[in-house]
Amino acid sequence: MSTDAIVLLKEDHKEMRRLFKAFQDAEEGPASERQKLVKQILEALTVHTYLENEVMYPEVRKLVPDVEDDILESYEEHHVADVLCFELFTMDAEDERYNAKTTVLIENVLHHVEEEEQEWFPKVREALGRNQLQEIGQRMIDLRPKAPKTPTAPKALKKSLDAVVA
């Protein structure tokens, strides 16, 4: 398995796309199936955004000043996703707005992923050497087991609050 930070993040993105498709395929199905899929989506997003906010973004912001605006926008996109994740976590799949809110979350995350992968990941790869990306990736791997898994976990809430007061 690669320790390259960009490869690791793209693997997370691939898993999120798989979960999003599974939800879309189950949209008309039983509420219990949708609830289960959304729980998986929320966990994947909570872990992923935590790793980006704690490791990738601060490091890239320091080392690649050309992408600072992209990083700041990404922090805000994460904040929007965090709010939607928190709301979905407290909802029941039977709620009339559940599917709509999940769809908005998916659309926002896919937009964010597209910007990362198409616009600023290439700039980061060009600016940082392989060793630097592997070091950043290893830090993300080391932090993953300690990452919050639900939007209501204290570390996840702190991340959301930091976005508001930062």
Side-chain angles (χ1 to χ4, degrees):
M1 182 173 106
S2 175
T3 60
D4 180 295
I6 291 174
V7 171
L8 294 171
L9 294 175
K10 283 184 171 184
E11 283 299 313
D12 282 357
H13 293 168
K14 189 173 163 184
E15 173 62 8
M16 281 183 260
R17 285 185 185 103
R18 184 191 69 73
L19 290 168
F20 294 164
K21 179 168 182 349
F23 175 83
Q24 290 163 335
D25 291 346
E27 217 168 335
E28 301 303 318
S32 60
E33 179 65 18
R34 286 180 283 132
Q35 191 99 37
K36 184 179 117 191
L37 287 165
V38 168
K39 183 178 183 220
Q40 292 172 350
I41 289 168
L42 297 181
E43 180 174 332
L45 284 171
T46 301
V47 170
H48 179 80
T49 60
Y50 181 80
L51 295 175
E52 283 186 327
N53 286 357
E54 294 296 314
V55 180
M56 184 70 169
Y57 291 177
E59 201 61 33
V60 169
R61 190 173 180 195
K62 183 172 58 180
L63 297 171
V64 189
D66 287 353
V67 296
E68 175 152 10
D69 288 343
D70 296 308
I71 298 286
L72 292 173
E73 182 179 337
S74 291
Y75 277 127
E76 295 308 317
E77 289 170 345
H78 279 191
H79 178 64
V80 169
D82 290 342
V83 170
L84 291 167
C85 286
F86 184 84
E87 291 174 357
L88 280 165
F89 187 79
T90 65
M91 293 174 76
D92 186 86
E94 297 285 351
D95 187 296
E96 71 175 355
R97 294 170 54 199
Y98 192 81
N99 284 6
K101 193 174 294 283
T102 304
T103 299
V104 170
L105 173 66
I106 289 169
E107 289 170 352
N108 275 279
V109 171
L110 289 174
H111 166 81
H112 170 77
V113 164
E114 186 74 19
E115 282 185 341
E116 279 187 343
E117 291 185 357
Q118 301 303 316
E119 295 174 25
W120 68 268
F121 279 1
K123 294 177 192 172
V124 171
R125 180 159 306 286
E126 188 177 315
L128 300 182
R130 195 173 127 211
N131 288 345
Q132 283 177 301
L133 285 170
Q134 288 176 334
E135 287 171 17
I136 294 167
Q138 189 59 54
R139 286 180 39 217
M140 290 181 353
I141 290 168
D142 294 343
L143 187 61
R144 186 175 287 272
K146 299 173 191 132
K149 297 195 178 7
T150 66
T152 58
K155 288 179 187 174
L157 289 173
K158 181 188 179 312
K159 177 175 61 94
S160 295
L161 287 172
D162 286 349
V164 175
V165 293

